[in-house]
Amino acid sequence: MGMDKILILDFGSQVAQLIARRVREAHVYSELHPYDMPIDAIRAFKPAGIILSGGPNSVYESDYQADPALFELGVPVLGICYGMQWMAQTLGGNVESGHQREFGYAEVDVLDNRLFNGLADKTLPNGQRQLDVWMSHGDKVVALPPAFSVIARTEACPIAAMADDAHKRYGVQFHPEVTHTRLGRDILHRFVLDICGAKPSWTMPNYIDEAIARIREQVGDEEVILGLSGGVDSSVAAALIHRAIGEQLTCVFVDHGLLRLNEAEMVMEMFARNLGVKVVHVDASADFMAHLAGETDPERKRKIIGGDFVEVFQREAQKLERARWLAQGTIYPDVIESAGAKTKKAHTIKSHHNVGGLPETLNLKLLEPLRELFKDEVRELGVALGLPHDMVYRHPFPGPGLGVRILGEVRADFADLLRRADAIFIEELRNTRDENGKSWYDKTSQAFAVFLPVKSVGVMGDGRTYDYVVALRAVITSDFMTAHWAELPYSLLGRVSNRIINEVRGINRVVYDVSGKPPATIEWE
Ligand code: XMP
């Protein structure tokens, strides 16, 4: 890509992705790489500037060292927290291991400098300008490297920021990437646009043109298949690839019988009829149901659904003899996560449904046109490609679908009840509006109904009922790793409950899930 790029080296920060987001908000392309990226790779990346992230380590104890040769590339460098400490240590300054951790809000006095010029949250009567920032550190820089000067200070941290203007090297002890640092975004944009001189050319129309050219070049006159799930990522990938190569793309839509109400019709309507994409609609629900019969264990259910899915997809793909490419809607957080996952050891809580092994068995090359995009950029792209807003801003839906929302044995009749209850819940969430015009659907990150295979007694009219229970789940989260249950208004819950019990014969009780994650997970299985 010919545009200006910022390289972010990640020293193990929890919020390194945020740095990349903030830079991209300045319409400058940025990528996150591990701190030990080889210097040749850094050179080949041709960064307009480098940002060194924070991290949990101490420069004294850790082998978290980047290659100091990056300072010889002649590009501006900004170190954040650990990044600043590593820079100070490497360039001849001194870092002291913290006796006291500093965590939380701080008011820093700032001095006139290229990085902070004109930026202040307030000015004291004596003329001192201050920034409200977020600090989180144990160690701190206690002696500047040669050629550096102090550009911000607090009492606890006399070198809260430092600069070597001649070499365009900057360090900040606080975290400009988090929203708690009120002018953090402006500071990062100042670095990227003014100090690095990067051109703000990362815009959606530019991106679409470039992505289309790249897909055409990669694929040539070969054919591509894509597994369409109805989710945002695969839908946007399909729309983009179709725009690039039209008839050379065939999508396969596997209906496992565990989709939401009218989902298959919606996907076919959108892609096949509106956009003119070739879509093979495979109704494999009978097979899935047959294989799931009698199985109550959540992990085995996931394995059955995942295995069947791959099998059906493979069978369909093999019919498309001319296909040489498998397209996937992998997005940037997936790429970063799997790079991180290689070094991290985590417990498997749930085995996620994916189609990771497919390209090898099918002998297909992988086409992943969304690999560089964050979720909100994918959504922006979807809208720019003409996909309906409601589809692009839909809540995520797990690969195994209703299979993990029907507790215990999965049956077609349970799936039907759940689909209808779920649709009522979603419709009611969408029908609300707050003073800003936002619905509860917009304000929750994920909402759905769960089918509980227990029966309870009820009374309807003059008669006794003995029917199933549905639980409603609605959560608010930014990363799906932790989540709060949504404080939906009682009146809304009451309306949903009434409608479900009245309209879905077979359900006579509705409950609301008030568990956070952790200790609960978002899905029930
Ligand atoms: P949990 O239940 O682990 O869910 O708190 C976190 C997020 O992941 C989604 N999820 C899945 N997504 N395949 C997916 O593509 C899966 O197998 C799967 N299982 C859970 C879940 O809906 C939530 O958004």
Side-chain angles (χ1 to χ4, degrees):
M1 277 184 278
M3 63 189 151
D4 291 339
K5 295 180 287 189
I6 298 293
L7 174 66
I8 300 157
L9 293 183
D10 180 9
F11 284 96
S13 163
Q14 298 287 330
V15 288
Q17 280 201 38
L18 280 183
I19 307 175
R21 291 288 314 118
R22 296 288 167 265
V23 173
R24 289 192 186 186
E25 283 162 11
H27 301 294
V28 175
Y29 183 71
S30 67
E31 272 184 30
L32 192 63
H33 286 267
Y35 63 90
D36 57 357
M37 183 178 185
I39 192 70
D40 289 341
I42 297 180
R43 214 172 272 127
F45 186 87
K46 296 203 182 80
I50 299 176
I51 299 179
L52 310 172
S53 86
N57 297 285
S58 163
V59 287
Y60 288 109
E61 299 159 5
S62 81
D63 46 19
Y64 275 62
Q65 307 288 331
D67 191 331
L70 65 87
F71 290 112
E72 288 153 26
L73 299 176
V75 301
V77 181
L78 171 67
I80 297 174
C81 196
Y82 178 90
M84 164 176 172
Q85 295 159 11
W86 178 78
M87 182 191 304
Q89 181 77 7
T90 306
L91 295 175
N94 203 1
V95 175
E96 192 177 83
S97 277
H99 308 291
Q100 217 181 338
R101 289 185 54 81
E102 193 183 8
F103 181 84
Y105 279 107
E107 293 170 327
V108 298
D109 293 347
V110 293
L111 307 177
D112 267 342
N113 176 270
R114 241 184 124 175
L115 192 60
F116 301 138
N117 260 353
L119 298 179
D121 288 297
K122 54 183 164 301
T123 305
L124 301 181
N126 66 3
Q128 176 63 57
R129 290 181 303 116
Q130 285 193 323
L131 287 170
D132 293 334
V133 304
W134 185 258
M135 291 276 196
S136 169
H137 65 111
D139 294 4
K140 61 186 178 196
V141 175
V142 290
L144 293 168
F148 275 81
S149 55
V150 176
I151 57 169
R153 60 182 169 231
T154 68
E155 216 158 283
C157 186
I159 306 180
M162 62 182 196
D164 168 358
D165 281 316
H167 293 97
K168 300 187 180 171
R169 292 173 187 160
Y170 299 84
V172 289
Q173 185 54 68
F174 55 86
H175 289 270
E177 69 276 28
V178 302
T179 48
H180 307 292
T181 297
R182 300 229 322 247
L183 294 174
R185 176 186 312 206
D186 301 72
I187 295 168
L188 286 168
H189 289 188
R190 175 69 55 81
F191 176 72
V192 167
L193 298 172
D194 296 354
I195 296 172
C196 300
K199 282 185 285 303
S201 53
W202 172 252
T203 59
M204 217 24 95
N206 284 350
Y207 176 76
I208 293 178
D209 290 347
E210 229 174 274
I212 285 175
R214 234 180 322 156
I215 294 168
R216 285 185 182 149
E217 193 187 309
Q218 258 184 303
V219 171
D221 56 7
E222 295 178 335
E223 293 199 0
V224 178
I225 53 173
L226 178 144
L228 196 57
S229 70
V232 178
D233 302 342
S234 69
S235 297
V236 175
L240 178 63
I241 297 170
H242 182 255
R243 177 81 69 94
I245 58 169
E247 290 278 293
Q248 287 161 260
L249 170 70
T250 305
C251 295
V252 177
F253 177 64
V254 179
D255 182 347
H256 46 29
L258 299 166
L259 297 168
R260 290 167 283 192
L261 193 68
N262 300 330
E263 186 147 26
E265 293 76 9
M266 213 184 78
V267 168
M268 294 308 289
E269 170 75 28
M270 180 68 234
F271 285 93
R273 286 188 278 283
N274 285 1
L275 292 178
V277 178
K278 270 193 280 180
V279 187
V280 181
H281 179 185
V282 192
D283 182 356
S285 47
D287 286 345
F288 277 83
M289 289 301 159
H291 295 157
L292 284 166
E295 185 56 72
T296 56
D297 178 75
E299 272 304 286
R300 283 206 294 269
K301 282 164 58 180
R302 281 175 171 272
K303 294 265 158 58
I304 292 171
I305 298 169
D308 274 6
F309 195 92
V310 168
E311 207 172 284
V312 174
F313 189 82
Q314 237 161 10
R315 201 168 54 222
E316 293 304 319
Q318 269 151 1
K319 291 185 193 159
L320 304 169
E321 284 165 9
R322 290 152 48 93
R324 295 289 168 270
W325 295 85
L326 177 69
Q328 287 185 346
T330 316
I331 70 172
Y332 195 47
D334 305 332
V335 175
I336 303 174
E337 200 171 282
S338 56
K342 281 188 197 132
T343 55
K344 284 184 200 135
K345 286 196 168 40
H347 289 276
T348 303
I349 307 290
K350 298 175 186 185
S351 47
H352 269 216
H353 169 100
N354 63 48
V355 284
L358 274 176
E360 293 87 48
T361 51
L362 288 171
N363 207 11
L364 295 172
K365 296 174 274 187
L366 207 51
L367 183 67
E368 298 180 312
L370 311 180
R371 265 183 85 83
E372 295 143 0
L373 303 185
F374 284 102
K375 192 79 179 187
D376 49 346
E377 293 170 329
V378 170
R379 293 196 155 118
E380 204 184 320
L381 173 60
V383 171
L385 289 168
L387 295 180
H389 180 277
D390 278 359
M391 172 180 241
V392 164
Y393 284 87
R394 248 178 142 188
H395 289 169
F397 187 62
L402 302 185
V404 295
R405 295 179 179 173
I406 297 168
L407 304 194
E409 186 184 3
V410 177
R411 291 185 0 198
D413 55 334
F414 290 173
D416 280 335
L417 293 176
L418 177 57
R419 246 189 290 277
R420 288 159 56 207
D422 185 74
I424 290 171
F425 184 30
I426 298 302
E427 186 183 319
E428 289 296 334
L429 288 173
R430 282 196 190 275
N431 278 345
T432 55
R433 283 286 169 274
D434 69 7
E435 61 280 7
N436 302 316
K438 281 187 120 189
S439 72
W440 272 105
Y441 186 84
D442 299 326
K443 289 189 281 191
T444 49
S445 316
Q446 203 171 6
F448 52 88
V450 179
F451 184 85
L452 311 189
V454 288
K455 285 188 158 186
S456 76
V457 173
V459 51
M460 257 184 130
D462 293 325
R464 174 188 193 265
T465 57
Y466 186 54
D467 283 329
Y468 291 108
V469 184
V470 153
L472 306 177
R473 181 83 164 132
V475 296
I476 296 181
T477 171
S478 53
D479 58 7
F480 296 88
M481 308 289 285
T482 61
H484 294 283
W485 57 273
E487 296 190 27
L488 299 181
Y490 287 167
S491 55
L492 171 58
L493 288 170
R495 215 160 42 240
V496 174
S497 165
N498 272 341
R499 278 197 59 195
I500 290 177
I501 294 170
N502 282 319
E503 295 173 33
V504 187
R505 188 57 56 85
I507 306 290
N508 70 350
R509 195 174 291 268
V510 173
V511 298
Y512 189 53
D513 180 352
V514 289
S515 330
K517 173 183 180 178
T521 54
I522 296 173
E523 304 286 349
W524 279 41
E525 281 194 349

